[in-house]
Amino acid sequence: LHAPDLAKAVGLSVPHLTALLKNSTEMTPHEYITQQRMRRAHQYLASGNYSLREVANAVGYEDADHFSRKFREYFNYPPRILMMRGRNRLQKSPGKP
């Protein structure tokens, strides 16, 4: 997803979309899109149900290594830590043998 695609989807020009987002969120379209992708990735990883590659692809990254670097830059910790915590939580949940 890119700013021109987002602008077209909502029927605005890129400059108009940028101004609206900047006024309401204090973010550029790129920053907003990145935030949404990282939040979604965080949810997927925390669930413990998905591999790093699956999460990367689900949030729009073709390369899991590139996604991993971007995730670390955004959250200041690697995605594998969150993924392992999610998997540990799943293994310890009640009702599991």
Side-chain angles (χ1 to χ4, degrees):
L1 187 61
H2 300 284
D5 299 327
L6 185 58
K8 184 177 180 181
V10 295
L12 299 172
S13 68
V14 173
H16 191 195
L17 173 67
T18 300
L20 287 174
L21 271 174
K22 199 76 162 150
N23 287 336
S24 63
T25 66
E26 298 183 3
M27 288 185 264
T28 67
H30 177 65
E31 291 167 337
Y32 180 78
I33 290 166
T34 298
Q35 178 192 63
Q36 298 308 307
R37 292 167 93 183
M38 290 299 150
R39 285 182 175 179
R40 174 76 46 97
H42 193 280
Q43 291 172 336
Y44 287 142
L45 291 166
S47 77
N49 292 318
Y50 305 98
S51 72
L52 189 62
R53 186 169 310 285
E54 288 172 323
V55 173
N57 290 331
V59 298
Y61 289 88
E62 292 180 20
D63 181 351
D65 291 332
H66 180 67
F67 163 72
S68 185
R69 284 190 303 276
K70 291 297 183 182
F71 188 95
R72 181 189 287 265
E73 287 172 14
Y74 191 85
F75 288 107
N76 294 317
Y77 55 87
R80 291 202 186 273
I81 287 176
L82 184 60
M83 186 173 60
M84 293 315 225
R85 285 183 189 156
R87 288 184 178 163
N88 287 339
R89 194 171 31 256
L90 280 177
Q91 290 173 351
K92 293 177 183 176
S93 67
K96 283 220 166 202

